[in-house]
Amino acid sequence: MARPDKISRFLPLTFANGNSVRRFGKHCPQCRAMVGAEHMEGLASLMKGKIFLSADASCPRCQHVFPVACVITDDKRVHRVMLPLWMFRLWLKSATRNDPQPSDNDNWTVETEAPKGLELPADADVLRSDEIVGRFQGEPIFAWVEYQGQRFIFDRAAASQNLRLTPSELLLEGRLIYRQQ
C-alpha cells in the first residue's frame, strides 16, 4: 500500500510527451504565501498521462494547514478535483497501492555544489524589452531582458523562495525567471 510522504520526494514526474513537473506549489488560503511541495505531505502519482496529487499542506509563514487535491495534465495545467476530498484520497490510495515507494536510502545522497544561475536585484543594469507578456504581483513581465550582452527570455514566475536555478537561468527582482536564449 502506498504511504504518504513529502510531495517533493515524488517529484520530478515526467509525462510521455517529455514535459516534466519538477516542483509544485499552492497559495495558502489564509495568508496567500506560496507553499511548496516540501511543505506538503500526501501522495502523488503519474497514471494514464496525468499526475494525481492529494496532500495536506502546511504554510511555513502562518502555520495554516489546508488540503490540496488536483490533477495535472501533460500540458502542465492544474485542474481541481470534483470528487469529495475523502473519496479522492481513498481512490488515490487504492490506485497507488502497487507504486514503488521512495526508499529510506534516498536520504543518503551526497550533494555537491552545482553551478547555479544569476540572481539580480531590481536596480541591476538590465535592458528590458518593450513587449509586456503579462503581470505578476502587480508588476509587468517583460518578454525578454538583456544582461551583460546576453539575452534571456521570460520562462516563469518564481513559485517559492527556495528555488534552484539552472546555469542558463536568471532570477530578476526575486520573482521572475528568464532563461538564456
Side-chain angles (χ1 to χ4, degrees), residues 1 10 14 25 72 77 83 91 93 95 99 110 124 126 132 142 158:
M1 175 76 58
F10 291 97
T14 304
I72 306 170
R77 292 182 190 247
L83 290 172
W91 172 81
K93 280 184 182 179
D99 283 3
V110 176
V126 174
I132 306 285
F142 301 97

Side-chain angles (χ1 to χ4, degrees), residues 2-179:
R3 67 177 190 263
D5 204 343
K6 288 204 179 289
I7 296 299
S8 58
R9 298 237 1 222
F10 291 97
L11 302 177
L13 289 170
T14 304
F15 296 102
N17 67 2
N19 284 342
S20 178
V21 174
R22 291 182 201 91
R23 40 184 182 260
F24 178 79
K26 186 103 172 127
H27 287 285
C28 172
Q30 187 165 317
C31 71
R32 303 301 300 157
M34 183 59 73
V35 179
E38 65 275 5
H39 298 287
M40 296 180 189
E41 181 133 344
L43 295 172
S45 183
L46 177 62
M47 296 180 284
K48 299 183 182 182
K50 297 179 178 119
I51 297 173
F52 296 88
L53 189 145
S54 174
D56 286 318
S58 177
C59 179
R61 183 183 291 168
C62 71
Q63 314 312 309
H64 180 66
V65 177
F66 59 96
V68 176
C70 63
V71 177
I72 306 170
T73 55
D74 62 359
D75 58 356
K76 295 187 177 184
R77 292 182 190 247
V78 180
H79 303 273
R80 71 178 201 196
V81 173
M82 301 305 284
L83 290 172
L85 184 60
W86 67 269
M87 190 181 294
F88 178 65
R89 287 186 172 174
L90 182 65
W91 172 81
L92 188 57
K93 280 184 182 179
S94 173
T96 60
R97 68 182 172 273
N98 295 324
D99 283 3
Q101 293 294 310
S103 70
D104 292 334
N105 293 337
D106 289 347
N107 292 334
W108 297 96
T109 58
V110 176
E111 292 188 21
T112 57
E113 186 67 32
K116 57 182 184 176
L118 300 167
E119 295 184 28
L120 301 178
D123 61 350
D125 186 25
V126 174
L127 176 65
R128 294 167 166 86
S129 74
D130 291 332
E131 182 183 356
I132 306 285
V133 294
R135 298 187 81 70
F136 180 67
Q137 296 176 340
E139 297 294 323
I141 300 172
F142 301 97
W144 55 263
V145 296
E146 277 188 16
Y147 179 69
Q148 295 182 343
Q150 293 183 330
R151 183 169 285 199
F152 295 83
I153 301 171
F154 175 72
D155 188 49
R156 65 192 183 278
S160 71
Q161 301 298 325
N162 304 349
L163 56 94
R164 291 187 181 157
L165 299 174
T166 66
S168 64
E169 291 180 329
L170 176 141
L171 176 66
L172 184 62
E173 301 171 355
R175 60 186 185 82
L176 300 174
I177 300 172
Y178 291 82
R179 64 180 154 67

